[in-house]
Amino acid sequence: MASGEFDLVIRGGMIVTPAGLVEADLGVTGEVVVAIGEKLGAGQREINAGGHYVLPGGVDPHCHIEQLSGGGIMNADTFETATRSAAFGGTTSVISFAAQHRGMNLATVVADYAALARKGAVIDHAFHLMIANPDRQTIEHDLPALIRAGHRSVKVFMTYDKVQVNDEQLLDILLASRQNGALVCVHAENHGLLKWMGERLVARGYIAPKYHAVSHPRAAEIEAIYRVIAFAEFIDQPVMIFHVSTAEGAEVIRQARGRGVKVFAETCPHYLFQTAEDLVLPGYEGARMICSPPQRTASDQAALWQALELGDLQVISSDHAPYRMDATGKFSASATPGFKQIANGMPGLEMRLPLLFDAMVSRAPEARKHENLMRFVEWTATAPARIYDLAGKGAIAVGADADLAIWNPAREVTLTDELHDNTGYNPYRGRKITGWPETIIQRGAVLIEHGTLHAKPGQGRLMLRQPGPATQPTGRLAPEFDPARNFGADLS
Ligand code: DUC
Ligand code: ZN
Ligand code: ZN
């Protein structure tokens, strides 16, 4: 074996660091980046990255893996297939869900999901604690213990019969999260409005996949975002609004942030690249594109890009929620289902970064390329790592984990259904994109090279997290919560 000063040297790449783009060598010893500079000494292993970008591995903080959905249907992916697919798309860290359903013990749920990930995950991973059974055992015992053990984010649904929490339960979860130091992530849609619209459509025979979009009025998202932000402000608990799809939803978030409420928000590629028209396909083909909230309009797309640029939204996640177009997934209820019976979700882990790189970097006018490249890395790696307290992830710096993706900016690809997950289709089939992550490295080990995966199932590591700035309350108590202004009542 060659001797060298470093275990690995990546030579002459265009490296994106938080300080900007530098053309340099990057040295790795063990699992971390130890040097960025010109003419570094030899590495035991060397990779020539001339003409290529060296970016931090992507961080995808919202993906459903080996999970029972809100509708009670099992995902198509195992940890092995989902994380393999993520790695092929340039992502090296994921946060998926330890999903409690009614009647389940949260501590057991987390142990079970951790065991599945330990067996299959090829990349580093963490869990959001999904709460659907907020009983005393969960709220007073298991949730505090699990948060303190390093699972520093919680997820709730404001809709779906099987998993939704009501307003009182949501308040309990916000308060318990405040007391124990976790960020609360929310699927925000008004349950009653969805149910009412769904029933009216079905009663009139409008059951084709495209009516899914009609059954989730934008008002449902706007109202629920407004309500959960009102609760978060009242409890003084930071929240993350998942998958924002409407211009007005982003506007509600902008106003709240403007008055100092600690609210973070994400959107997803399907809201930036698709519209409700994508559900209009022959027969049941539109079932591929059913996800919740649904895709909206071109003007929502423009508003979401603007909200990202303004900082109102900080993250682009995939919301990977894979269901096959067969009886195990989209057609589990029937071979001829109505839209209400079709599982909500699409594969997204592998396409998230290539789609965004193409749109933001490859297609950008020369004058915008550099700025857009920095934003691409910020929204897909650095911000999610920072907001969710993934230490060592999301940015290239001396001392950070050597989680790297070497991108060929000139490679042209026509997307096909051949992905590395287990869903069997690609919502973006036929699209031509430029730029591809070719060599993927995690903690110094080469995971993917020349199209071949070198990782073993289970080699990904569980990331337990210390509470960081995003989980800290602002300290501004609502008058009714403040003993100085509520006649001395202690409501903590
Ligand atoms: N919400 C998600 O976040 N993912 C899949 C389905 C859903 O409703
Ligand atoms: Zn959701
Ligand atoms: Zn989701």
Side-chain angles (χ1 to χ4, degrees):
M1 183 185 287
S3 66
E5 189 180 335
F6 303 98
D7 292 333
L8 170 67
V9 172
I10 298 169
R11 293 256 173 234
M14 298 177 281
I15 306 171
V16 171
T17 74
L21 188 64
V22 285
E23 199 162 333
D25 302 337
L26 182 151
V28 176
T29 297
E31 298 190 345
V32 298
V33 175
V34 292
I36 299 169
E38 284 181 17
K39 299 195 173 63
L40 293 185
Q44 298 216 13
R45 172 137 202 226
E46 301 224 351
I47 296 174
N48 177 9
H52 289 52
Y53 288 116
V54 181
L55 306 186
V59 176
D60 193 338
H62 178 170
C63 40
H64 301 267
I65 303 181
E66 217 160 339
Q67 184 198 325
L68 200 56
S69 76
I73 302 171
M74 191 42 120
N75 289 160
D77 273 316
T78 61
F79 274 90
E80 182 179 347
T81 61
T83 58
R84 172 179 81 195
S85 165
F88 273 102
T91 287
T92 50
S93 300
V94 289
I95 312 182
S96 61
F97 298 85
Q100 182 194 48
H101 280 240
R102 303 254 158 79
M104 289 183 182
N105 173 280
L106 186 63
T108 310
V109 166
V110 173
D112 289 348
Y113 276 94
L116 292 172
R118 212 162 34 244
K119 192 166 121 239
V122 303
I123 62 173
D124 291 353
H125 50 275
F127 294 109
H128 301 296
L129 305 171
M130 193 194 109
I131 313 292
N133 191 36
D135 57 6
R136 285 191 67 173
Q137 175 69 29
T138 298
I139 294 295
E140 293 177 15
H141 301 281
D142 296 346
L143 184 61
L146 289 160
I147 293 173
R148 276 189 254 109
H151 303 287
R152 293 275 168 189
S153 47
V154 168
K155 154 80 184 288
V156 289
F157 279 101
M158 294 171 78
T159 184
Y160 290 120
D161 287 325
K162 286 191 167 65
V163 288
Q164 80 162 131
V165 294
N166 63 30
D167 287 352
E168 297 91 315
Q169 292 169 328
L170 179 52
L171 289 162
D172 280 344
I173 292 167
L174 289 167
L175 184 58
S177 301
R178 184 185 203 277
Q179 289 165 339
N180 294 285
L183 184 63
V184 176
C185 306
V186 186
H187 177 123
E189 286 187 286
N190 179 297
H191 185 63
L193 185 43
L194 301 191
K195 217 166 157 196
W196 191 81
M197 275 298 278
E199 282 164 11
R200 283 179 85 77
L201 284 160
V202 171
R204 287 159 178 75
Y206 301 115
I207 60 166
K210 62 189 173 196
Y211 293 110
H212 169 75
V214 184
S215 76
H216 284 245
R218 43 203 307 126
E221 172 171 291
I222 301 160
E223 185 280 333
I225 292 177
Y226 188 87
R227 179 161 33 115
V228 71
I229 288 177
F231 288 2
E233 187 171 12
F234 173 62
I235 301 282
D236 186 23
Q237 162 58 34
V239 288
M240 161 67 75
I241 310 299
F242 269 174
H243 47 49
V244 177
S245 67
T246 58
E248 301 93 316
E251 175 71 31
V252 174
I253 292 160
R254 177 175 310 138
Q255 285 169 6
R257 288 175 62 86
R259 64 176 188 275
V261 185
K262 212 152 167 189
V263 47
F264 302 94
E266 58 157 44
T267 190
C268 311
H270 36 285
Y271 305 116
L272 296 169
F273 298 122
Q274 293 188 323
T275 69
E277 298 296 320
D278 283 279
L279 276 83
V280 184
L281 292 172
Y284 280 94
E285 287 299 289
R288 296 165 187 270
M289 310 302 188
I290 287 187
C291 62
S292 282
Q295 302 85 338
R296 306 287 182 180
T297 67
S299 74
D300 289 296
Q301 293 177 346
L304 294 171
W305 282 113
Q306 188 188 39
L308 284 159
E309 285 177 17
L310 292 171
D312 304 320
L313 313 184
Q314 303 80 37
V315 169
I316 307 176
S317 75
S318 70
D319 195 2
H320 179 83
Y323 302 97
R324 295 181 67 81
M325 286 287 283
D326 63 24
T328 66
K330 296 278 185 183
F331 297 92
S332 60
S334 141
T336 53
F339 70 84
K340 273 173 63 116
Q341 299 166 290
I342 298 174
N344 288 195
M346 300 193 295
L349 271 168
E350 192 163 337
M351 283 297 101
R352 180 184 71 127
L353 297 179
L355 286 168
L356 289 164
F357 185 96
D358 173 63
M360 295 183 66
V361 184
S362 306
R363 291 175 195 256
E366 210 46 49
R368 289 285 306 258
K369 256 192 210 312
H370 175 252
E371 186 187 0
N372 276 9
L373 180 66
M374 298 302 289
R375 284 183 169 147
F376 166 74
V377 170
E378 167 69 14
W379 298 340
T380 61
T382 313
R386 183 174 63 242
I387 292 169
Y388 291 105
D389 301 313
L390 299 174
K393 304 299 191 189
I396 298 179
V398 169
D401 286 3
D403 289 1
L404 306 165
I406 304 178
W407 285 73
N408 178 349
R411 181 152 153 199
E412 294 177 0
V413 178
T414 301
L415 302 180
T416 69
D417 281 332
E418 303 302 311
L419 297 176
H420 296 84
D421 65 11
N422 195 31
T423 321
Y425 73 91
N426 180 347
Y428 305 95
R429 178 178 64 195
R431 198 180 180 99
K432 289 184 172 48
I433 64 172
T434 304
W436 200 259
E438 291 185 334
T439 304
I440 312 301
I441 294 163
Q442 176 136 67
R443 287 182 279 104
V446 175
L447 293 188
I448 292 171
E449 198 176 26
H450 309 306
T452 303
L453 181 74
H454 297 288
K456 288 198 201 59
Q459 81 174 56
R461 198 177 273 169
L462 175 64
M463 298 178 285
L464 295 171
R465 300 173 271 153
Q466 295 295 322
T471 60
Q472 300 291 317
T474 66
R476 286 204 318 255
L477 292 180
E480 302 82 356
F481 239 90
D482 182 356
R485 290 181 289 168
N486 70 3
F487 311 117
D490 179 1
L491 298 172
S492 59

